[in-house]
Amino acid sequence: QVQLVESGGGSVQAGGSLRLSCAASGHTVNRYCMAWFRQAPGKEREGVANIDSDGDTIYTDSVKGRFTISKDNAKNTLHLQMNSLKLEDTAMYYCAADTTGAGSCWGDFQEYEYSSWGQGTQVTVSS
């Protein structure tokens, strides 16, 4: 079982930046599709960005140009750099890994495709 531990969440004013990290056990980030999801209060969890084993990325439309997903294979860590944060980015952010796949990612961000999940880190954006 892959262990995923998120960090880096916090409170920030609109327009600010945060960098989330996800530390993974085993040789995970370089082998599998890795993703960030988020869930705002009263809303369903949604995919934010993913990165495949080759480093190719996919973003949901609402974060394109503002968020950047990346990974450090040597440190087995996934990151999400979030710039120009908006009030609507407030959510619990989750790291996920598709450990049953061959490393490819899909743009539909189906939760069932991701077999391992972290506990989440809260991001709160205020005006």
Side-chain angles (χ1 to χ4, degrees), residues 20 22 32-38 45-52 55-71 78-82 93-98 105-110 113-114 117:
L20 306 184
C22 172
Y32 302 118
C33 171
M34 302 292 297
W36 287 99
F37 283 75
R38 67 184 179 186
R45 189 154 55 183
E46 64 171 350
V48 175
N50 60 33
I51 184 166
D52 68 16
D56 294 324
T57 59
I58 301 174
Y59 297 91
T60 193
D61 287 345
S62 62
V63 307
K64 285 180 181 177
R66 300 188 299 121
F67 290 11
T68 302
I69 188 172
S70 63
K71 58 181 179 175
L78 180 73
H79 299 288
L80 184 69
Q81 178 67 44
M82 305 186 295
Y93 283 72
Y94 298 90
C95 172
D98 175 10
C105 290
W106 307 102
D108 55 358
F109 294 102
Q110 295 292 336
E113 295 174 341
Y114 297 88
W117 293 81

Side-chain angles (χ1 to χ4, degrees), residues 71-87:
K71 58 181 179 175
D72 185 330
N73 290 336
K75 295 183 178 180
N76 210 24
T77 303
L78 180 73
H79 299 288
L80 184 69
Q81 178 67 44
M82 305 186 295
N83 298 329
S84 302
L85 282 162
K86 303 177 180 180
L87 297 179

